[in-house]
Amino acid sequence: NTTVGHGLSSAPEMILVKNRDAADRWQVYHNSVTNMATGFMSLNEDWAFSTASSGIWNSTSPTNSVFSIGTDSGVNTNNQDYIAYCFHSVSGYSKFDTYTGTAGTHTITTGFNPAFIMIKRTNTTGEHWYMYDNTRFPHSQQNSVTANNNVVEGGNSSMLINYLATGFQIVGTNAGINTSGDTYIYMA
């Protein structure tokens, strides 16, 4: 177990860690998930949040200067190199948060017009990490790509989101982005 300096001005809200020397998962920390420090999510899997391993984040939330890692091979193996991407919200630029699905149209306020959005359902296995960008479709988008599989860009009206000046609007009712009562994390 150890700590790693992250160099940010505040505690990371989202961390992605990957072992560069072995075929291992991308480990994900997102502070909006209850008990995240004692569990894990994987960017390259469609799994729900799991508390099956406390060895990833050493049961410790990040601080303003470091994040903790345990002894899990996904974050810490002797003599192997890792890369970590650490993020925190910056007013007017980025936001890392959560929302509860409604199965109807609802607005997520970020305080800016996002250029990139990634959404993941946290409480059910089988849903992908859906990614949208405003370059391909500047106003609304139903085509997404996924971080965790190698399928082509796709989607339909059930995946529709609208870009807004101060956030984004979930229009679609696909389970991967908007099931009533389910929890979703996002980065924008």
Side-chain angles (χ1 to χ4, degrees):
N1 301 323
T2 191
T3 59
V4 178
H6 52 68
L8 299 176
S9 60
S10 63
E13 295 170 83
M14 187 168 186
I15 303 170
L16 307 172
V17 175
K18 175 71 172 89
N19 184 335
R20 294 176 46 218
D21 291 335
D24 214 331
R25 296 178 187 90
W26 281 88
Q27 303 301 332
V28 177
Y29 173 91
H30 197 289
N31 75 329
S32 294
V33 178
T34 303
N35 300 321
M36 187 75 220
T38 60
F40 74 99
M41 296 181 76
S42 296
L43 185 62
N44 54 308
E45 303 288 350
D46 64 3
W47 303 337
F49 167 72
S50 174
T51 57
S53 175
S54 61
I56 295 176
W57 309 115
N58 198 27
S59 301
T60 306
S61 296
T63 70
N64 288 344
S65 58
V66 298
F67 67 93
S68 297
I69 54 173
T71 57
D72 187 275
S73 65
V75 293
N76 190 6
T77 298
N78 195 31
N79 296 320
Q80 292 194 355
D81 291 325
Y82 291 81
I83 190 162
Y85 298 98
C86 301
F87 306 93
H88 67 80
S89 296
V90 175
S91 181
Y93 182 76
S94 61
K95 186 155 183 164
F96 303 85
D97 209 348
T98 186
Y99 66 87
T100 302
T102 64
T105 301
H106 65 284
T107 300
I108 310 301
T109 302
T110 61
F112 59 93
N113 181 305
F116 172 83
I117 302 164
M118 182 163 57
I119 300 170
K120 174 68 173 104
R121 186 177 181 185
T122 63
N123 58 332
T124 302
T125 293
E127 297 299 341
H128 303 294
W129 293 82
Y130 292 102
M131 298 184 296
Y132 299 88
D133 68 86
N134 69 1
T135 302
R136 293 174 295 147
F137 304 94
H139 304 292
S140 65
Q141 185 169 352
Q142 62 189 27
N143 287 343
S144 64
V145 292
T146 55
N148 60 293
N149 64 25
N150 61 356
V151 298
V152 298
E153 171 187 29
N156 55 49
S157 61
S158 73
M159 296 297 295
L160 184 65
I161 67 166
N162 291 326
Y163 300 101
L164 306 174
T166 59
F168 60 100
Q169 185 178 56
I170 305 289
V171 179
T173 58
N174 182 285
I177 63 169
N178 195 14
T179 295
S180 183
D182 280 349
T183 304
Y184 299 83
I185 57 172
Y186 70 88
M187 69 182 299

